[in-house]
Amino acid sequence: LNHNPSCYKIKLSGTVKSPKINFDPPFLMLMPVPLDVETEMTFKIIPQDYLRPSRIQVELPELELEDGGRICPFSVQFPEGQNIVLSSDDTNKELFCHISFRSPRPVSLLGNMFFIDEEKN
């Protein structure tokens, strides 16, 4: 610097962490119930490595009935909100998710629910 022709080399290294979410418990099994009776459960969503605020969305499975009709017997609520926020200690606050199932028709299913952030992760 100061018109000195010396060369300086800088070597940088780093690690890229992709945001992810974990669940506690890692899977759910809702109890069988009579027709049109609700069964429910609350679980935690544990976000990791989110560096900026994001919002979780849920894609619920839709069922096709024998008569060709379709129902979505699941509902999801986030009692404390569905925004992922960064705490002052650089960790993400966990979210609580309440899921319920109710069907007026007999159904049995093994399905997936997709929890997606704003960037489709």
Side-chain angles (χ1 to χ4, degrees), residues 1 5 17 25 28 39 59 65-66 86 89 96 109 118 121:
L1 308 147
K17 292 183 177 182
L28 298 177
T39 182
E59 291 180 4
L65 302 172
E66 291 176 0
L86 189 62
D89 62 353
F96 288 91
L109 75 124
E118 292 172 336
N121 293 313

Side-chain angles (χ1 to χ4, degrees), residues 3 5 50 57 63 66 71 89 101 112 119:
H3 305 295
Y50 279 84
Q57 301 293 326
L63 304 174
E66 291 176 0
I71 62 169
D89 62 353
F101 174 90
N112 294 314
E119 296 180 11

